[in-house]
Amino acid sequence: MDARLEAIKDTVLARNPGEAEFHQAVVEVFESLGPVHDRHPEFLEAAILERLCEPERQIIFRVPWTDDSGRVQINRGFRVEFNSALGPYKGGLRFHPSVYLGIVKFLGFEQIFKNALTGMPIGGGKGGSDFDPRGRSDAEVMRFCQSFMTELYRHIGEYTDVPAGDIGVGGREIGYLFGQYKRITNRYESGVLTGKGISWGGSLVRPEATGFGTVIFTQEMLKTRGASFDGQRVVVSGSGNVAINAIAKAESLGATVVACSDSSGYVVDEAGIDVALLREVKEVQRGRLTDYAERRGGVTYVDGGSVWDVDATVALPCATQNELDGDAAARLVRNGLVAVGEGANMPSTRDAVAVFQEAGVLFGPGKAANAGGVATSALEMQQNASRDSWSFEHTEERLTEIMVGIHDRCAATADEYGDPGNYVLGANIGGFVKVADAMLAQGLI
Ligand code: GLU
């Protein structure tokens, strides 16, 4: 890493002790930014990096609620409003027991660059709670969401901060959160949240967008080598919203998706995952992959283990951070991997990224490859602002344009900085320069 940046990084790490995921996200970005600072010493003078690493505002709050047996439960809520240079803070809410400030900050930090890359007017933020929706009744989830919003409402708004979903927060949770916001504020402010239901201000394609976008981005990478998804053997990790829609899109382009996973194990389905059945099991019944394996028949379910033990030519990690390590990456490379598109945020460890890049594997980092979700959230905001709703076809066309645009911008930036095909460099520099220019223009704030 560039010595000037190394010193700034050391200060950031020391100022944010114990936040390993945030440190990892910062280091990954800093490693790309040396050449930008050679060309733009004004960024150093204005302390753009130091400011970028310090969230504009961090909110931590108590979330009390009662479970179905009448017992009081206490969770911790977070919203990190990281950077508003390009627009209102924008980013999802994650409800998962692993959530703490370091996770929210890594996600918020990534979101700044991701949102910049979309070309849409959105800043970066993220939030969530250590609440675990798994195994909770609808009524418990509703009471939790209502309590969470009873504090959050005062910090958000269509011109201030626009949350959406992430792990553990889907259409059901957004519905309860929106209802409580509306009740407290007495405003039908559609643009305050995205990922809403289609009949009350949501956008078509938003549910599919992250998974679809990841595959579109990966397809663009494959095209640079004269290849496509047609005939690829694909492994996807996860089986939530992002994974399911990545599987659907990859299969529609002629790939065979042979495996996917959940937190208990993974399924190998050599004939290709049956997406309709997977949707029914996961989205309608809120079931597990064991239920899929049982109903599908003739497939292998592996309890525990790693889905990355399954050979693939294309890997789409769509589960969670640091799920794919250096050893797994080396094994995949040995067995013929050609491309990786990150549907999750930071799913590959730094070792894994190094292995992929050294082996010449096409590697699309999450902040570029999975930007289709938040980009379509911005399209939802656009429809809300104009009180309009677009067709599926039109919205999907916009999503495709945006993803191809992100790919091309990352590739062009990598070329410009002398490292063709390095999408990590392209995404980090491309996102950073846009935000840095805006921060410079807006003065010392
Ligand atoms: N949580 C998603 C992400 O990681 C989407 C955020 C949004 O739509 O605001 O980008």
Side-chain angles (χ1 to χ4, degrees):
M1 187 186 297
D2 181 288
R4 298 162 302 178
L5 273 56
E6 182 97 41
I8 302 171
K9 179 214 71 178
D10 288 344
T11 311
V12 172
L13 266 49
R15 180 176 267 166
N16 299 278
E19 297 177 355
E21 298 81 2
F22 178 51
H23 296 179
Q24 184 183 341
V26 166
V27 170
E28 276 185 15
V29 169
F30 275 40
E31 274 174 345
S32 300
L33 297 183
V36 178
H37 288 84
D38 294 338
R39 291 192 196 181
H40 295 280
E42 69 275 19
F43 292 161
L44 282 172
E45 265 159 51
I48 295 292
L49 270 179
E50 291 91 327
R51 285 196 271 152
L52 202 54
C53 291
E54 187 65 24
E56 291 176 16
R57 192 175 296 108
Q58 307 183 55
I59 302 144
I60 304 181
F61 51 99
R62 180 173 66 201
V63 189
W65 57 284
T66 44
D67 66 21
D68 284 346
S69 63
R71 274 192 44 212
V72 173
Q73 301 278 346
I74 304 293
N75 286 100
R76 186 171 290 174
F78 301 90
R79 187 72 186 166
V80 173
E81 298 180 333
F82 227 118
N83 191 291
S84 62
L86 299 180
Y89 310 107
K90 181 83 197 85
L93 298 170
R94 176 176 293 190
F95 292 170
H96 190 272
S98 64
V99 167
Y100 76 107
L101 189 58
I103 293 272
V104 181
K105 280 166 68 178
F106 118 65
L107 291 165
F109 187 72
E110 290 279 294
Q111 202 83 45
I112 302 170
F113 303 94
K114 183 195 309 198
N115 294 3
L117 285 169
T118 65
M120 310 295 286
I122 42 179
K126 204 84 184 192
S129 174
D130 57 359
F131 172 70
D132 187 357
R134 182 124 67 95
R136 292 293 179 189
S137 68
D138 283 354
E140 288 176 317
V141 170
M142 181 177 76
R143 287 196 294 276
F144 174 81
C145 288
Q146 290 178 339
S147 181
F148 186 87
M149 186 54 86
T150 300
E151 172 59 34
L152 187 68
Y153 88 94
R154 68 188 86 244
H155 308 289
I156 63 176
E158 79 175 289
Y159 297 109
T160 317
D161 183 358
V162 183
D166 195 83
I167 293 171
V169 178
R172 172 181 62 169
E173 290 74 17
I174 294 294
Y176 296 145
L177 291 164
F178 184 77
Q180 185 72 351
Y181 182 85
K182 178 165 68 80
R183 188 178 191 196
I184 296 175
T185 59
N186 194 30
R187 282 162 67 89
Y188 204 112
E189 191 185 330
S190 299
V192 69
L193 288 170
T194 60
K196 300 180 294 296
I198 301 305
S199 61
W200 47 277
S203 174
L204 288 166
V205 192
R206 178 63 191 89
E208 293 84 3
T210 312
F212 277 23
T214 300
V215 170
I216 297 167
F217 186 94
T218 309
Q219 170 98 332
E220 291 305 302
M221 292 198 298
L222 288 165
K223 277 189 198 165
T224 65
R225 302 220 177 134
S228 74
F229 262 94
D230 196 21
Q232 303 287 352
R233 179 182 165 89
V234 179
V235 169
V236 174
S237 62
S239 49
N241 166 273
V242 180
I244 291 172
N245 290 295
I247 295 169
K249 189 71 174 177
E251 291 188 343
S252 78
L253 294 174
T256 307
V257 182
V258 294
C260 66
S261 62
D262 62 19
S263 56
S264 311
Y266 64 92
V267 71
V268 183
D269 189 342
E270 289 289 346
I273 300 282
D274 177 341
V275 189
L277 178 61
L278 185 63
R279 276 193 201 282
E280 150 112 10
V281 167
K282 296 288 301 187
E283 291 175 349
V284 182
Q285 297 170 350
R286 294 185 185 273
R288 308 285 300 162
L289 278 184
T290 43
D291 303 315
Y292 171 88
E294 204 170 286
R295 287 182 58 183
R296 173 89 158 136
V299 301
T300 309
Y301 176 79
V302 181
D303 198 19
S306 166
V307 73
W308 305 120
D309 286 343
V310 183
D311 298 350
T313 54
V314 177
L316 302 175
C318 296
T320 195
Q321 68 275 354
N322 292 329
E323 52 154 312
L324 202 173
D325 64 16
D327 290 343
R331 197 163 46 242
L332 285 164
V333 166
R334 269 198 308 277
N335 294 323
L337 187 75
V338 297
V340 180
E342 293 190 323
N345 291 312
M346 210 170 71
S348 309
T349 64
R350 294 183 58 219
D351 288 351
V353 177
V355 169
F356 293 142
Q357 292 192 319
E358 224 147 274
V361 166
L362 294 163
F363 177 75
K367 63 171 75 71
N370 74 33
V374 76
T376 309
S377 278
L379 300 180
E380 182 171 331
M381 291 163 72
Q382 204 175 323
Q383 292 168 77
N384 293 154
S386 58
R387 300 185 187 278
D388 198 1
S389 53
W390 305 343
S391 68
F392 193 96
E393 292 69 27
H394 174 67
T395 317
E396 194 180 17
E397 218 170 275
R398 291 290 311 269
L399 168 65
T400 304
E401 265 169 31
I402 291 169
M403 293 314 299
V404 172
I406 295 173
H407 171 274
D408 293 353
R409 226 167 298 132
C410 291
T413 307
D415 286 349
E416 187 190 332
Y417 281 86
D419 197 353
N422 186 342
Y423 291 93
V424 173
L425 188 92
N428 287 337
I429 294 184
F432 172 75
V433 169
K434 198 155 182 222
V435 178
D437 280 339
M439 288 175 71
L440 214 52
Q442 292 170 20
L444 182 57
I445 52 170

